[in-house]
Amino acid sequence: SPEQRRKTRSSVGHHDHCDKCYNVHCQVPVQSSVSCMVIKCRKNCGATLHMCKQEEHQLLCPNETVPCINVNNGCPLTMLRHRLAKHLEVCPASVVCCSQEWNRWPVAETDPTFYRNVSENPLANTELNLDVALALRDQELLFQSIKMKNIFPELMAEEDPGLQSVSAGVNGPAEEASCSLDCGELTENDWAKTEVKEMSQEERDTLAKSRDVTSIENYNSWEKIFNKEKEGCKETVKNLNKGEKEKEQESSNSQGETRDSHQGEKSAAAARSTDGATGLAPWQDGVLERLGKEVNISEYNMYLVHNGAMLINFGQLAACTPRERDFVYGNLEPIEVKTIRSFNVPTSYRAKRCHLKDPAQRAKTTHKSVDTADLGVSVEDLPKCEEINATLLCSLEKELKGHLISESTSTDGLYVDVGTQTYSFSSAPFKTNASLAEVIADKPHGVYMHVESESVTRRHNKTSSAFTYICGHFFRRNEYRHHFRNVHCDIQASLNGWFQQRCPLAYLGCTFTQMRFYPAGQRATIKFCQDVSTFALQPQVPSSLCEGGKNLSPQRNGICNVDPLSRLPLEILQHIAGYLDGFTLSQLSQVSHLMREVCATLLPERGMVSLKWEKKTYSTGASSWRYRKKVWKFSPVFSSVDRWSFGDAPSMSDHLQSCSFYQRHERREPVALACLGEVRGKHGELKHKR
């Protein structure tokens, strides 16, 4: 501890010889304030040093017990100093986030047959169809990230005007409230009213727990209004106290002036004899400089408002900026203006014949705006737009290299087409901060993204008609390489025909698929877990081993029998759990309280820790971030697979024999081949010549 170090430092003292000595075999005699004896390290690290340097050696000794480098990030382990580097490879606080990216395109309207068949029962296709399951996961994340107010701001529901007016009146700083008090606009009755209007803590809690959507949305706005109103009232009270103190000082000063009347008369006469350089009148010289030193900024601004005209007339304030104070640019150079669409008439341009005729004989044309009202159909009878397809299309328009539907385009050097695209949805108007996932929550879900993906990072140029996704899972440092190799390199990059094989007639609507690989050495199935959004290995367990757990029956007292696994001792359960991967441990911890305690003992060795941060907002309006607690969990990684083997899946030709989309066209009548008549004619001519 620091106190012990101070004691040892004071007891040992400072030695002039020891500060410069580095000889292991030092033979200098021990003298007070000069030198001390040479000792060896108590931790048996092999170091030899003077006794007064023992405290400094503890900061470098490799055998000293120290906490982990990531102790501030949540690691609770302590170890010898020379083991810190090796520990960082398996440190639970050394967490890595996977940043693998890939792109997906929306489903085009030209090939909807396959995706329509998959969308009929998407939940049944997610267990075996890994590409469909991954596409649904990416689609859900995309729908949650798209905010309707960014795409269709004109279709959003209007907020409460009363709330807007109140919030606009309170958005000013606390100085405005204090300024209104100085002008006499806030009285004691108004102060009492503001105290009555303020909500109690119980009312705020009930408002926060209310299930009313509008109340929950407006809660933060009202809370901000109340906090600002409270701060304004505090500033008002401070100004009231300052005014009372100033009045007391003025009364005491007046009493002192009456006592020294003779001196006061002399000073007043001297002030009158001067030319008014100490007053605050608009015609006195230097009034603005003295006013800025004596009063606050609110009173200074109020003085300018009331006496601005007089200050200008007496020359105290300039009516406009003088010419000598104008900002003058330096040497200006012409800059070439470059536009996105620059039209240059080509050298081979020829005017159309219709433009070369006599203008008097040209048909009369008028410019007219075309709208849906010209169709003769009411707005209610017009077909409604589909939310998902329209939102995805408009979201792609917001891309950097995308194009707008209503963009003005020039057909040639004379004509420009201008259009405006409008949308009408059955679910409009949308709620504030509503996402696309919330809008389509009550509608049947489908697959709107391509099952094929392309891995292109943000560092490369890519098409603007694709959405980018990121893995975003967290792993321990020693688990990240297994995740990247097995998930992204082996499985995800090979789903398009190698790791998972689809029917060749999938473009016609066939949804048949089969897996071609399995981990070498053990039969297991690759599945995609939607709850965790990750791939998992499911071993193929014989049915005979699963029969014991299905025959459990309740006892007479109503308590269910404990499964055979839970009856084992705690030490054996811990030994068995040590062979499981992170994903299996996270699922096992949710089975029962006993299994949760067993998995908790493996957290320092197999789990990872992170800090959960929360935003702290103070009464003054300032905010800061602080970590609330340490969160322990297991990473979603499955057992490492070093080698894959081909499975015993049948050939795809066996499926084509029974595929309903494989329609054969048998021809029994003879069909003439192309150019067969010409060949017969030439053959007959050769026979005739012979």
Side-chain angles (χ1 to χ4, degrees):
S1 63
E3 295 181 358
Q4 294 178 354
R5 292 180 180 177
R6 294 192 191 99
K7 292 180 181 179
T8 54
R9 184 179 300 175
S10 60
S11 61
V12 175
H14 177 72
H15 301 149
D16 297 336
H17 168 75
C18 298
D19 292 342
K20 302 178 182 179
C21 179
Y22 54 88
N23 187 8
V24 179
H25 307 286
C26 180
Q27 302 294 334
V28 176
V30 178
Q31 297 179 4
S32 60
S33 70
V34 177
S35 63
C36 61
M37 61 182 301
V38 178
I39 62 174
K40 292 186 178 181
C41 177
R42 298 179 180 179
K43 302 292 183 179
N44 298 326
C45 69
T48 304
L49 64 157
H50 283 277
M51 183 182 296
C52 59
K53 297 181 180 180
Q54 185 176 0
E55 181 181 356
E56 298 179 359
H57 177 70
Q58 293 179 357
L59 303 177
L60 302 174
C61 181
N63 293 340
E64 188 71 24
T65 302
V66 293
C68 176
I69 298 177
N70 292 324
V71 61
N72 295 328
N73 296 330
C75 183
L77 302 179
T78 58
M79 65 209 71
L80 300 181
R81 182 175 279 110
H82 69 273
R83 297 181 180 177
L84 287 177
K86 192 66 176 178
H87 166 71
L88 289 179
E89 299 178 1
V90 294
C91 179
S94 184
V95 181
V96 180
C97 179
C98 182
S99 59
Q100 175 67 14
E101 296 179 357
W102 59 88
N103 301 326
R104 289 190 187 275
W105 287 262
V107 176
E109 298 180 355
T110 56
D111 52 350
T113 307
F114 168 76
Y115 295 96
R116 183 172 58 250
N117 296 340
V118 173
S119 301
E120 292 179 355
N121 193 6
L123 297 178
N125 296 324
T126 55
E127 293 186 359
L128 298 178
N129 299 349
L130 302 181
D131 51 357
V132 176
L134 194 59
L136 288 175
R137 176 257 186 187
D138 296 343
Q139 175 180 296
E140 182 180 0
L141 295 178
L142 176 64
F143 289 174
Q144 292 176 0
S145 62
I146 296 179
K147 298 297 182 181
M148 303 303 291
K149 66 178 181 180
N150 298 332
I151 309 299
F152 307 107
E154 69 279 0
L155 299 179
M156 302 303 297
E158 297 182 358
E159 297 182 359
D160 189 5
L163 179 62
Q164 292 180 356
S165 61
V166 174
S167 59
V170 190
N171 280 337
E175 289 79 8
E176 297 181 1
S178 62
C179 180
S180 64
L181 172 71
D182 297 335
C183 300
E185 297 179 359
L186 188 62
T187 61
E188 294 181 359
N189 295 331
D190 296 331
W191 167 257
K193 290 180 182 179
T194 55
E195 288 184 347
V196 174
K197 290 181 180 179
E198 186 176 1
M199 298 177 63
S200 62
Q201 187 64 29
E202 297 179 356
E203 294 177 352
R204 295 182 184 181
D205 295 340
T206 54
L207 180 62
K209 296 179 181 179
S210 176
R211 295 185 179 180
D212 188 6
V213 179
T214 57
S215 299
I216 295 175
E217 292 177 355
N218 299 336
Y219 176 74
N220 294 330
S221 301
W222 284 111
E223 187 70 18
K224 186 184 297 183
I225 292 171
F226 294 147
N227 290 334
K228 292 183 178 180
E229 186 177 359
K230 186 176 180 180
E231 293 299 324
C233 295
K234 290 181 180 180
E235 293 293 332
T236 302
V237 174
K238 291 181 181 179
N239 293 330
L240 283 174
N241 297 332
K242 289 181 181 179
E244 293 178 356
K245 291 181 179 179
E246 290 177 358
K247 290 180 181 179
E248 293 177 356
Q249 292 178 0
E250 290 178 359
S251 61
S252 61
N253 294 334
S254 61
Q255 294 176 0
E257 289 178 358
T258 54
R259 294 176 182 176
D260 302 334
S261 59
H262 182 68
Q263 295 179 358
E265 290 177 358
K266 288 184 178 181
S267 61
R272 296 190 194 97
S273 62
T274 57
D275 55 354
T278 59
L280 299 179
W283 55 82
Q284 296 175 345
D285 296 334
V287 59
L288 295 180
E289 289 77 3
R290 293 191 300 273
L291 196 66
K293 297 178 181 179
E294 297 178 3
V295 300
N296 54 20
I297 187 63
S298 60
E299 296 178 356
Y300 183 84
N301 294 334
M302 192 63 64
Y303 184 87
L304 294 180
V305 170
H306 291 289
N307 304 315
M310 297 181 66
L311 291 172
I312 293 175
N313 294 332
F314 288 104
Q316 302 292 342
L317 186 65
C320 59
T321 306
R323 183 179 297 275
E324 58 272 8
R325 295 184 181 180
D326 288 343
F327 178 77
V328 181
Y329 286 95
N331 298 328
L332 298 180
E333 298 180 358
I335 301 176
E336 181 183 358
V337 179
K338 296 182 180 180
T339 59
I340 299 177
R341 293 177 178 269
S342 59
F343 177 78
N344 297 324
V345 179
T347 56
S348 61
Y349 174 77
R350 294 182 181 180
K352 296 182 180 179
R353 295 183 61 86
C354 61
H355 302 320
L356 299 178
K357 295 180 180 180
D358 186 6
Q361 299 179 359
R362 184 180 301 175
K364 295 183 179 180
T365 59
T366 58
H367 295 279
K368 184 178 180 181
S369 300
V370 182
D371 196 359
T372 53
D374 301 335
L375 300 176
V377 183
S378 61
V379 180
E380 291 77 10
D381 297 336
L382 291 175
K384 301 293 184 181
C385 299
E386 206 272 330
E387 288 85 353
I388 300 178
N389 293 328
T391 305
L392 293 179
L393 178 61
C394 294
S395 179
L396 290 175
E397 293 177 6
K398 301 295 183 180
E399 292 288 337
L400 179 62
K401 294 182 293 183
H403 65 279
L404 299 176
I405 294 180
S406 58
E407 184 179 4
S408 300
T409 57
S410 56
T411 55
D412 53 18
L414 302 175
Y415 293 97
V416 177
D417 297 335
V418 180
T420 303
Q421 182 71 29
T422 57
Y423 298 92
S424 177
F425 302 104
S426 58
S427 57
F430 306 115
K431 297 180 181 179
T432 307
N433 296 328
S435 61
L436 180 58
E438 297 175 357
V439 173
I440 63 172
D442 300 335
K443 298 183 179 181
H445 295 178
V447 182
Y448 297 91
M449 305 301 296
H450 270 284
V451 295
E452 296 87 3
S453 62
E454 179 181 352
S455 298
V456 179
T457 61
R458 297 179 182 178
R459 300 176 180 88
H460 297 79
N461 294 330
K462 54 188 177 184
T463 57
S464 61
S465 299
F467 295 99
T468 303
Y469 304 90
I470 189 172
C471 178
H473 287 292
F474 292 90
F475 304 92
R476 292 163 60 104
R477 187 171 295 275
N478 60 334
E479 297 175 345
Y480 174 70
R481 61 187 184 95
H482 302 297
H483 160 77
F484 191 88
R485 183 186 61 181
N486 294 143
V487 174
H488 298 303
C489 296
D490 296 343
I491 300 178
Q492 187 175 356
S494 305
L495 286 179
N496 303 332
W498 179 246
F499 197 91
Q500 177 181 268
Q501 188 178 15
R502 284 196 171 275
C503 178
L505 303 179
Y507 69 97
L508 297 177
C510 182
T511 60
F512 176 78
T513 181
Q514 62 181 6
M515 303 298 297
R516 301 183 61 194
F517 293 93
Y518 66 92
Q522 183 181 4
R523 290 284 182 174
T525 306
I526 302 293
K527 290 189 176 183
F528 188 83
C529 184
Q530 291 287 349
D531 298 335
V532 195
S533 299
T534 185
F535 293 96
L537 278 178
Q538 183 178 3
Q540 297 180 2
V541 183
S543 58
S544 59
L545 299 178
C546 300
E547 294 178 355
K550 298 181 181 180
N551 298 328
L552 297 178
S553 59
Q555 293 180 354
R556 296 181 180 179
N557 54 4
I559 302 176
C560 296
N561 291 326
V562 181
D563 58 284
L565 184 62
S566 301
R567 297 175 184 175
L568 297 176
L570 182 62
E571 293 78 6
I572 298 179
L573 292 177
Q574 293 177 354
H575 182 73
I576 296 175
Y579 292 97
L580 303 179
D581 52 48
F583 174 78
T584 308
L585 287 174
S586 63
Q587 301 298 316
L588 181 63
S589 62
Q590 304 177 22
V591 173
S592 62
H593 293 283
L594 176 61
M595 296 302 171
R596 188 175 185 85
E597 295 176 358
V598 172
C599 296
T601 59
L602 299 175
L603 281 174
E605 301 177 3
R606 305 290 302 279
M608 56 183 180
V609 61
S610 60
L611 303 179
K612 185 176 182 180
W613 295 83
E614 66 176 3
K615 189 175 182 180
K616 173 67 175 178
T617 305
Y618 302 95
S619 58
T620 59
S623 60
S624 63
W625 287 90
R626 63 180 183 181
Y627 79 93
R628 181 182 177 185
K629 59 180 180 180
K630 300 177 182 179
V631 180
W632 287 87
K633 59 182 179 180
F634 294 99
S635 61
V637 65
F638 56 84
S639 301
S640 176
V641 180
D642 299 331
R643 189 168 57 90
W644 300 88
S645 300
F646 281 97
D648 53 356
S651 177
M652 188 59 67
S653 59
D654 299 340
H655 162 71
L656 291 176
Q657 296 179 0
S658 59
C659 182
S660 59
F661 294 89
Y662 185 46
Q663 300 178 0
R664 302 178 182 179
H665 297 277
E666 298 181 358
R667 298 287 184 178
R668 296 185 178 181
E669 299 179 357
V671 179
L673 299 177
C675 301
L676 185 60
E678 297 180 0
V679 174
R680 288 180 178 178
K682 293 180 180 180
H683 186 66
E685 291 178 358
L686 292 175
K687 285 185 177 181
H688 182 70
K689 290 180 180 180
R690 291 178 181 177

